[in-house]
Amino acid sequence: MQSPDLDALIEATSDQYRDYVNPSLPNLLKFMGFGTISHSTDGMTLTDVEGNEWLDFLGGLGVFSLGHRHPKVIAAVREQLDLMPLTLPVFFNRLQAELAELLAEILPGKLRYSFFCSSGTEAVEGALKVARVCTGRTEVISAERSYHGKTLGALSASGRELYKLPFEPLVPDFRQVPFGDLAAMEAAISERTAGVILEPVQGEGGVRLPPDGYLLAVRELCTARGALLIADEVQTGFGRTGKMFAVEHYGVEPDLMCLAKALGGGVMPLGAFCGTPEVWEPFRAQPWLHTSTFGSPGGNPMACAAGIAAVRAVLDEDLSGRAAELGDYFLEQLRGLQAEFPTAIREARGKGLLLGLEFFDEDIAGLTIAGVARRRVVVAYYLSNPRVFRFEPPLIVTRAQIDHAVDVFRQSLQETLALVEGVERE
């Protein structure tokens, strides 16, 4: 039986959230089945204050690609903590230089320079600014259902009205076209277009894959018309889709790339936007063109230490290859579920370990998430497409854990469908 002290602690925390953090969030978390307090993590597992273990199939929305508390990342951050947690921007930061060089070795095409920050939305903001100053143009084209962050510039590029309408008017000269519609993209790019920003695989849009040849054709359009191509790999980078970067599936070399989430190894907040020498040219005339207190030009030594350890772990452990192999297996199991529940599940799709199950009914998806949570597997839906149930486990996941998650999903969906059928009969 649960201790009354724990009950009181959980309720007090819920009240503090309601009174000082977000008034409606506690009820939402409880409805989804996550109405407890996280206490510790390790590998694929989260343990709550009640001692229950949860299997993580959400992966921090792409943050925990290495799993929780990867020992090499933890050791690197601890070592740097004892030396110098933060530094001054007037000195060289050796770790920032080392991480930038390491990224240059693995980035596709001519991408070479990196600016470090603390989040994906900051990386997008920086890339948008550089695209404008580099081209002398102002217009930015993005895709419907895209997700690039929630600061004003990144939100202006994003494609779901639910998050945009409350903050209008947003930054001018942003346009969205349907993802995968090459004719619409060709019509949109003009002599005013500074850049086109796309997720190679739309994540929050519900794991939407581009049609064959689409991204390469957009690359060619941008080159022909003097616009820059910005690849938002915040969620897809560092092995998630079965390649180090998702653009590699499609043979595309962008002018700018946005990174975050897994870059910090699941230990430190760390983002970056990276560019070619041509795109970086404005920094030659004005090195302080874009700055960040906890990012470049000084850099964050602890975050950079985490980034170096994380990138090396992805390479040393071949997590890209692991994601490709286990992603194929996982997708096969999910397509089996689609065949088993054809009236509930519209489609199973994905690339690597970025996978989604699209429901016909958004409410069925939400109820099923709650059932999965009751069985202590962590999942969620995608922000720009709540009909899609997301599976985004750490890349260290095993086949046995995949089988368990699939079985839990099956039980939860059966329970949901039986409940809905019973309500309809009444």
Side-chain angles (χ1 to χ4, degrees):
M1 181 176 294
Q2 186 170 317
S3 164
D5 291 340
L6 285 177
D7 286 334
L9 176 64
I10 293 169
E11 194 58 36
T13 303
S14 175
D15 290 343
Q16 287 172 313
Y17 261 71
R18 186 192 64 239
D19 294 340
Y20 306 112
V21 179
N22 186 316
S24 62
L25 189 58
N27 288 341
L28 178 59
L29 291 177
K30 289 175 182 178
F31 171 77
M32 293 176 65
F34 302 119
T36 186
I37 302 171
S38 56
H39 175 66
S40 62
T41 54
D42 185 62
M44 285 287 299
T45 305
L46 179 146
T47 303
D48 64 32
V49 291
E50 302 162 74
N52 301 309
E53 291 190 348
W54 299 67
L55 187 62
D56 182 9
F57 266 70
L58 184 59
L61 316 179
V63 170
F64 299 108
S65 289
L66 302 182
H68 295 268
R69 300 177 61 251
H70 191 286
K72 291 181 179 178
V73 182
I74 291 288
V77 171
R78 280 178 173 160
E79 180 181 356
Q80 188 57 38
L81 175 63
D82 288 337
L83 292 173
M84 180 178 60
L86 290 173
T87 188
L88 301 173
V90 294
F91 293 98
F92 289 125
N93 176 351
R94 175 60 194 164
L95 293 175
Q96 179 178 221
E98 185 177 342
L99 178 55
E101 182 179 19
L102 180 58
L103 288 178
E105 292 172 0
I106 64 172
L107 287 166
K110 297 193 298 178
L111 293 172
R112 179 178 178 183
Y113 290 93
S114 294
F115 182 103
F116 296 104
C117 51
S118 300
S119 68
T121 193
E122 288 179 76
V124 168
E125 293 283 349
L128 294 174
K129 286 177 64 180
V130 169
R132 284 184 163 186
V133 73
C134 183
T135 63
R137 303 174 178 183
T138 59
E139 184 179 67
V140 175
I141 310 297
S142 59
E144 294 175 1
R145 291 194 185 179
S146 61
Y147 184 85
H148 301 291
K150 289 180 178 172
T151 51
L152 278 179
L155 185 62
S156 300
S158 295
R160 192 175 183 206
E161 295 304 310
L162 174 67
Y163 301 120
K164 297 170 69 172
L165 286 174
F167 303 103
E168 291 184 341
L170 296 173
V171 180
D173 279 354
F174 280 78
R175 299 176 59 192
Q176 280 83 48
V177 298
F179 182 69
D181 187 334
L182 185 58
M185 182 64 75
E186 184 173 9
I189 302 175
S190 71
E191 70 280 355
R192 297 179 56 251
T193 305
V196 174
I197 182 168
L198 293 171
E199 302 156 276
V201 176
Q202 282 197 332
E204 300 304 327
V207 194
R208 301 176 71 220
L209 306 180
D212 291 342
Y214 171 72
L215 292 177
L216 200 55
V218 174
R219 165 72 280 177
E220 292 169 354
L221 282 171
C222 288
T223 300
R225 300 184 183 180
L228 301 182
L229 179 60
I230 307 168
D232 182 343
E233 294 251 13
V234 168
Q235 190 160 181
T236 55
F238 302 104
R240 172 58 55 184
T241 66
K243 296 281 189 183
M244 182 61 74
F245 303 103
V247 292
E248 295 178 281
H249 290 287
Y250 308 105
V252 172
E253 297 181 2
D255 300 294
L256 287 157
M257 181 179 284
C258 303
L259 304 170
K261 293 190 182 290
L263 178 57
V267 177
M268 293 295 296
L270 181 60
F273 66 91
C274 311
T276 65
E278 293 81 4
V279 167
W280 231 250
E281 195 64 25
F283 283 99
R284 290 187 181 275
Q286 177 48 274
W288 309 111
L289 187 68
H290 186 68
T291 58
S292 170
T293 299
F294 297 112
S296 297
N300 181 329
M302 287 175 60
C304 289
I308 293 166
V311 173
R312 288 178 176 162
V314 172
L315 294 170
D316 293 345
E317 298 173 27
D318 189 23
L319 293 184
S320 299
R322 185 179 180 83
E325 177 187 349
L326 289 174
D328 287 345
Y329 175 75
F330 200 171
L331 184 57
E332 180 183 346
Q333 306 311 305
L334 295 182
R335 285 176 173 161
L337 287 173
Q338 180 189 356
E340 189 175 345
F341 301 98
T343 61
I345 300 173
R346 181 191 298 271
E347 185 183 16
R349 57 180 180 263
K351 191 170 281 292
L353 285 170
L354 180 63
L355 300 165
L357 273 176
E358 183 169 357
F359 285 74
F360 287 101
D361 189 307
E362 182 178 322
D363 293 334
I364 297 294
L367 290 170
T368 303
I369 286 174
V372 172
R374 285 196 298 274
R375 293 167 174 85
R376 300 197 183 104
V377 174
V378 183
V379 291
Y381 57 78
Y382 285 98
L383 288 177
S384 294
N385 194 343
R387 288 196 310 274
V388 181
F389 199 104
R390 76 195 295 160
F391 291 99
E392 202 169 336
L395 307 186
I396 63 170
V397 67
T398 66
R399 286 196 177 212
Q401 289 166 335
I402 290 172
D403 291 340
H404 175 70
V406 170
D407 188 53
V408 162
F409 176 87
R410 178 183 290 107
Q411 295 174 38
S412 302
L413 181 54
Q414 288 171 336
E415 178 184 78
T416 295
L417 294 176
L419 174 65
V420 170
E421 183 179 351
V423 171
E424 289 176 348
R425 285 178 178 175
E426 292 178 1

